Amino acid sequence: MSIKKIVKYGASSLREKSKEVHKISKKIQILVDDLYDTLYALNGVGLAAPQIGENVRVFVIDVGTDPKTMNPITFINPKILKKEGAVNSYEGCLSFPEAYTNVRRYKYVKVKALDIKGRPFLLEADEGSLLARAIQHEFDHLDGVLFIDHCRNRFEADKILTEKGLNPVDANYLLDEKELEEEIQKNPPSPEEK
Ligand code: ZN
């Protein structure tokens, strides 16, 4: 359909709680098409509706790296049913151009959502997979939570945000994740983690 402009960090709508979808209307179908068009245009992994200016509970993910392995997954009214383990993840977000920082995530998630036809599905993301992280990241967007709220080092995050001309971390949104942090420190990082 069309490539949309990304809502950037600083916009108050990124902090809003999004509304449930009550009907898979034409409008929702167009929204999903726009999410994919925008995601692929920007070479992203996931994109949530609030990031293109629609505060509804919809996001899309594609962890495929080339056109042959494209694997688009649409999540409507998602619920995270189970989350386990902890992992450090070096993450960014299309709403924060070129800003990456270390965040805490669960290793594994089990999610329930509706697909574009309104059919419920269950999905278990492998431990430590990109899909598991992407689900948590995009799900957060629906509740107005941003990846920097999970940052492991507020000063590291502030430094990179400032360098990119973005507002620093807002302490009011920082999440207390003591258990996740302890769990991460117990496990040695894998080579791709920093
Ligand atoms: Zn994001």
Side-chain angles (χ1 to χ4, degrees), residues 46 51 92-96 137-138 141 146-147:
Q51 291 181 280
C93 174
L94 292 172
S95 295
F96 294 69
H137 180 116
E138 301 312 330
H141 275 299
L146 301 172
F147 79 112

Side-chain angles (χ1 to χ4, degrees), residues 47-154:
L47 190 61
Q51 291 181 280
I52 60 165
E54 296 289 337
N55 282 91
V56 291
R57 303 187 77 80
V58 177
F59 64 78
V60 302
I61 289 178
D62 192 335
V63 293
T65 46
D66 72 75
K68 276 177 259 154
T69 56
M70 279 209 325
N71 182 27
I73 313 173
T74 306
F75 298 78
I76 298 172
N77 297 344
K79 303 264 185 298
I80 294 184
L81 303 180
K82 208 168 156 188
K83 38 195 185 186
E84 282 173 2
V87 67
N88 176 62
S89 159
Y90 193 59
E91 246 175 67
C93 174
L94 292 172
S95 295
F96 294 69
E98 294 170 62
Y100 299 85
T101 195
N102 289 292
V103 299
R104 303 177 195 96
R105 293 291 182 192
Y106 291 95
K107 246 186 195 169
Y108 157 94
V109 290
K110 181 176 177 180
V111 59
K112 182 184 164 185
L114 301 178
D115 68 12
I116 191 61
K117 298 247 159 67
R119 296 171 300 208
F121 66 94
L122 266 180
L123 180 71
E124 286 184 276
D126 291 342
E127 278 209 359
S129 63
L130 178 57
L131 179 61
R133 290 188 267 148
I135 288 170
Q136 294 171 73
H137 180 116
E138 301 312 330
F139 183 85
D140 273 351
H141 275 299
L142 308 183
D143 288 328
V145 176
L146 301 172
F147 79 112
I148 52 166
D149 304 343
H150 296 275
C151 69
R152 294 186 64 199
N153 182 329
R154 191 248 169 105

